[in-house]
């Protein structure tokens, strides 16, 4: 309940048991609760709740509530959505609209191939009446790494606007007011880019500054602050803000540098998929689009660990609103080479079977951002323990010798670390032979464990993982068999394995896995 804007009402909540017993709705048990103190920073109002009695296996719950949004921030913005399916079987799902005479209204139904609802759409002298009914809907049962609910489940979306122009105008007006650089922003921007020689270096310097110096904290109330953000000068002065706040500061600073950019509104790819055939305003994130020469790149200054030009995988592959150009665009999915890891192994196998390993993992894209953030959070006193757990995952008998972090706190430089460890009596004995397994060469994909899938696999973004091994074995050891060169190619990705002898008792093995897209 938001005083002065919206309210909820329970009409009834009844529970029916198979033996005929019924728990009837008791209006006196409806509670209105003030929100907790911490929640007031983000929302306002009260919560209305009703404790349901008689819950048990096999019961039927019959409930009805009324949601009254009686004072919207804009009376011409009405974008209802409704899902007919849930994680439980649904006997009846009905959606009814009563519209005033002459009120335009547009709607679409999605994913209704197997669950076509009964639609009644009539116009009378009182107005327009729309009723959609769906019965006997089976439960939606997600699978590991399955696509979003809205990609497969039947649902409804409506709008009183036919196209996006009114929303473009609404957003652009607010954002233009809030991206004007203050004298302080102009001064700090010129200082940041003073030594930069190219526009790309300028963008990178400002991008890294915003992530490191403006913290992500969302303290919001009202439409203007949530959708339009606070003025750039206010966010810069406070040194914190939410995603749209930081995007507006980014544009203000880039304007000082003479580089065009625009805030971008989207829903991340872990949220329900946005269909753009009808307008809506139910988005959950804001990033930026920047023009550098003839290139257009997307950047997300919300976090604190993304090295230019990478940005959060949650943005990849989604459609978005480019506010200042007033158009719908798609954020590209990066190449696997631009989002993943390259692991370098230098291996020495001694005559006694002991293995010496020098391991250098390097990262790019989301993989680098995630690990940089993780290791920054690990206390220095605990880092050796973390490194020891990593090498024992490689092999239970591994003993850590030393490790080093590189560029952990220098966002403009690639982050990586090096580890030296040993494993005693490493190769497995098999009669007169010994089997030497390359560390971590074998990979598993738990998401493919189902015998059959109803839905595609969905990931946040693309991924690449290359492992390069340089192996030197003792002179008394000779290779009896080597892995065969392997190439696997399909629409989803590629895998290659190449093995070559590069000298006396020296071998090079190159394993390269690449997954191109988000959805397989």
């Amino acid at each position: 309940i938001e005083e002065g804007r919206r309210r909820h009402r329970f009409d009834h909540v009844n529970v029916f048991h198979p033996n005929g017993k019924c728990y009837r709705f008791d209006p006196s048990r409806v509670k209105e609760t003030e929100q907790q103190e911490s929640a007031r920073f983000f929302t306002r109002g009260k919560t209305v709740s009703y404790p349901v009695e008689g819950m048990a296996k096999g019961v039927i719950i019959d409930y009805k509530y009324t949601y009254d949004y009686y004072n919207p921030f804009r009376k011409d913005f009405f974008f209802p959505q409704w899902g007919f399916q849930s994680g439980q079987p649904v006997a009846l799902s009905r959606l009814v609209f009563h519209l005033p005479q002459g009120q335009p209204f547009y709607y679409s139904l999605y994913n209704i191939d197997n669950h076509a609802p009964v639609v009644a759409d009539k116009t009378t002298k009182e107005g327009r009446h729309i009723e959609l009914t769906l019965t006997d809907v089976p439960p939606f049962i997600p699978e590991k790494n399955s696509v979003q609910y809205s990609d497969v489940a039947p649902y409804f979306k409506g709008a009183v606007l036919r196209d996006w122009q009114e929303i473009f105008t609404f957003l652009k007006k607010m954002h233009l007011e809030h991206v004007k650089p203050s004298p302080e922003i102009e001064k700090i921007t010129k200082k940041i880019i003073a030594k930069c020689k190219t526009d790309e270096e300028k963008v990178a310097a400002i991008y890294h500054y915003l992530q490191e110096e403006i913290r992500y904290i969302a303290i919001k109330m009202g439409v203007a602050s949530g959708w339009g953000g606070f003025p750039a000068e206010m966010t810069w002065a406070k040194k914190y803000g939410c995603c749209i706040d930081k995007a507006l500061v980014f544009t203000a600073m880039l304007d000082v540098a003479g580089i065009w950019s625009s805030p971008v509104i989207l829903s991340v790819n872990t949220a329900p998929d946005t269909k753009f055939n009808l307008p809506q305003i139910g988005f959950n994130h804001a990033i930026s689009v920047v023009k550098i020469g003839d290139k257009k790149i997307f950047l997300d200054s919300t976090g604190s660990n993304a090295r230019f030009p990478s940005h959060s995988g949650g943005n990849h592959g989604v459609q978005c609103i480019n506010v200042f150009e007033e158009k719908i665009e798609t954020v590209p999915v990066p190449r696997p080479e631009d989002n993943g890891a390259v692991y370098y192994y230098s291996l020495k196998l001694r005559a006694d079977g002991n293995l010496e390993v020098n391991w250098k993992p390097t990262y790019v894209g989301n993989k680098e951002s995630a690990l940089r953030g993780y290791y920054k959070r690990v206390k220095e006193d605990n880092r050796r323990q973390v490194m020891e757990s990593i090498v024992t995952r490689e092999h239970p008998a591994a003993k850590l010798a030393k490790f080093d972090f590189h560029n952990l706190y220098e966002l403009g430089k690639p982050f990586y670390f090096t580890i030296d460890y040993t494993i005693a009596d490493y190769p497995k004995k098999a009669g007169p032979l010994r089997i030497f397994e390359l560390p971590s060469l074998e990979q598993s994909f738990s998401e493919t464990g189902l015998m059959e899938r109803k839905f595609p696999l969905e990931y946040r973004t693309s991924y690449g993982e290359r492992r390069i091994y340089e192996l030197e074995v003792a002179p008394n050891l000779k290779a009896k068999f080597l892995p065969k060169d392997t190439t696997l190619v399909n629409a989803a990705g590629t895998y290659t394995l190449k093995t070559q002898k590069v000298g006396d008792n020296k071998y090079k093995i190159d394993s390269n896995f690449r997954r191109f897209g988000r959805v397989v």
Side-chain angles (χ1 to χ4, degrees):
I1 299 174
E2 186 179 352
E3 297 294 344
R5 176 152 289 173
R6 69 187 89 208
R7 56 186 165 235
H8 283 76
R9 181 183 75 245
F10 287 106
D11 297 289
H12 66 251
V13 182
N14 300 319
V15 178
F16 300 95
H17 281 244
N19 61 10
K21 187 174 182 178
C22 176
Y23 291 82
R24 293 288 182 184
F25 178 60
D26 181 359
S28 67
R29 302 187 70 213
V30 175
K31 287 186 177 181
E32 289 185 10
T33 308
E34 292 284 351
Q35 289 188 308
Q36 296 179 0
E37 192 67 33
S38 60
R40 292 181 187 176
F41 286 106
F42 303 94
T43 56
R44 59 185 176 186
K46 301 176 182 178
T47 298
V48 60
S49 62
Y50 182 79
V52 183
E53 286 189 293
M55 296 296 291
K57 184 178 179 180
V59 304
I60 292 174
I61 309 162
D62 169 37
Y63 64 95
K64 178 184 176 183
Y65 65 87
T66 300
Y67 166 60
D68 187 5
Y69 190 13
Y70 58 92
N71 185 25
F73 68 92
R74 278 192 57 156
K75 306 231 176 353
D76 57 341
F77 278 11
F78 180 55
F79 309 104
Q81 299 188 46
W82 180 258
F84 294 96
Q85 193 174 21
S86 72
Q88 301 294 333
V90 177
L92 170 67
S93 184
R94 177 177 293 137
L95 184 61
V96 179
F97 289 91
H98 302 286
L99 299 159
Q101 186 72 37
Q103 171 64 57
F105 188 71
Y106 312 92
Y107 65 88
S108 289
L109 293 164
Y110 305 93
N111 310 318
I112 59 170
D113 296 342
N114 299 320
H115 312 287
V118 176
V119 180
D121 191 342
K122 300 182 294 184
T123 301
T124 66
K125 61 181 180 179
E126 287 81 23
R128 188 176 174 191
H129 177 91
I130 304 172
E131 187 172 309
L132 302 98
T133 305
L134 206 59
T135 57
D136 300 323
V137 187
F140 172 73
I141 303 174
E143 300 165 340
K144 188 175 178 65
N145 283 76
S146 64
V147 295
Q148 298 299 314
Y149 165 88
S150 60
D151 291 340
V152 292
Y155 79 101
F156 162 96
K157 177 180 168 183
V160 294
L161 302 177
R162 186 67 192 96
D163 58 41
W164 287 87
Q165 189 54 54
E166 196 64 37
I167 293 175
F168 290 155
T169 303
F170 165 67
L171 289 173
K172 188 174 182 177
K173 183 176 183 295
M174 282 196 297
H175 290 179
L176 283 173
E177 293 172 355
H178 290 166
V179 295
K180 297 171 183 175
S182 64
E184 291 81 7
I185 289 178
E186 188 170 340
K187 182 179 178 180
I188 190 66
T189 302
K190 289 179 177 178
K191 182 179 178 181
I192 291 167
I193 64 175
K195 296 182 180 179
C196 298
K197 297 178 180 179
T198 66
D199 282 352
E200 189 168 274
E201 289 178 357
K202 292 176 184 177
V203 174
I206 296 170
Y207 187 47
H208 296 152
Y209 168 85
L210 269 174
Q211 292 184 76
E212 294 179 310
E213 301 299 330
I214 308 294
R215 292 174 296 159
Y216 175 78
I217 301 177
I219 301 179
K220 294 285 182 176
M221 286 186 182
V223 174
S225 62
W227 269 85
F230 292 114
E233 59 184 294
M234 185 183 296
T235 299
W236 183 84
K238 293 184 302 182
K239 295 296 185 289
Y240 67 80
C242 72
C243 54
I244 185 59
D245 295 327
K246 297 185 74 171
L248 294 171
V249 178
F250 200 9
T251 291
M253 296 180 78
L254 289 172
D255 183 61
V256 175
I259 298 169
W260 182 93
S261 70
S262 172
V264 166
I265 307 296
L266 54 81
S267 285
V268 296
N269 56 35
T270 53
D273 188 27
T274 300
K275 302 292 192 295
F276 279 84
N277 65 315
L278 287 176
Q280 69 161 65
I281 57 170
F283 299 92
N284 64 11
H285 193 38
I287 62 172
S288 302
V289 61
V290 183
K291 288 181 181 177
I292 304 176
D294 59 355
K295 291 191 305 182
K296 183 182 281 188
I297 62 172
F298 291 86
L299 296 169
D300 185 352
S301 58
T302 304
S304 54
N305 298 296
R307 178 166 60 93
F308 178 86
S310 69
H311 60 97
S312 170
N315 308 320
H316 297 171
V318 303
Q319 286 187 291
C320 61
I321 298 175
N322 177 332
V323 176
F324 289 164
E325 291 190 318
E326 299 187 14
K327 64 182 182 180
I328 307 299
E329 293 190 290
T330 299
V331 182
V333 177
R335 303 178 308 160
E337 294 85 348
D338 297 327
N339 185 61
V342 179
Y343 302 110
Y344 297 93
Y345 292 86
S346 178
L347 310 171
K348 290 185 178 181
L349 182 61
R350 303 298 184 188
D352 58 4
N354 292 345
L355 180 66
E356 297 177 0
V357 182
N358 172 261
W359 182 33
K360 178 185 174 183
T362 64
Y363 308 100
V364 67
N366 279 245
K367 187 79 170 179
E368 180 185 20
S369 302
L371 287 170
R372 188 193 296 271
Y374 170 73
Y375 286 111
K376 281 164 67 174
R377 293 191 298 271
V378 175
K379 293 181 180 179
E380 199 165 336
D381 293 344
N382 296 337
R383 286 177 183 168
R384 184 172 185 87
Q385 181 181 352
V386 171
M387 294 293 109
E388 286 175 342
S389 69
I390 289 175
V391 299
T392 53
R393 283 201 301 269
E394 293 275 335
H395 193 280
K399 300 293 183 184
L400 176 65
K402 66 176 183 177
F403 67 92
D404 289 297
F405 288 98
H406 302 267
N407 305 325
L408 179 58
Y409 297 103
E410 298 178 73
L411 190 51
K413 297 180 181 179
F415 163 67
Y416 66 96
F417 57 87
T418 54
I419 299 181
D420 290 350
Y421 64 94
T422 59
I423 305 174
D425 196 24
Y426 180 70
K428 296 176 182 177
K429 295 178 181 178
L433 302 178
R434 286 193 169 199
I435 299 172
F436 182 90
E437 294 184 5
L438 292 161
S440 295
L441 176 64
E442 186 175 294
Q443 301 293 303
S444 62
F445 300 86
S446 61
E447 65 270 31
T448 65
L450 295 174
M451 292 298 291
E452 294 182 356
R453 290 184 65 97
K454 291 183 178 180
F455 311 125
L457 292 162
E458 184 170 294
Y459 302 89
R460 294 190 74 192
T461 185
S462 55
Y463 186 67
E465 186 172 289
R466 189 175 181 187
R467 295 177 183 270
I468 300 172
Y469 304 85
E470 293 181 351
L471 170 63
E472 180 182 348
V473 301
N476 65 317
L477 298 173
K478 303 295 181 185
K480 183 76 173 177
F481 303 102
L482 294 174
K484 293 180 180 179
D485 286 357
T486 302
T487 300
L488 305 172
V489 179
N490 63 27
T494 66
Y495 176 74
T496 59
L497 177 69
K498 295 181 179 179
T499 305
Q500 60 181 133
K501 188 173 182 179
V502 294
D504 292 339
N505 302 313
K506 291 184 178 180
Y507 305 89
K508 184 176 181 179
I509 303 94
D510 192 334
S511 167
N512 194 4
F513 169 73
R514 300 162 73 238
R515 176 168 46 74
F516 300 134
R518 283 206 323 109
V519 179
V520 178

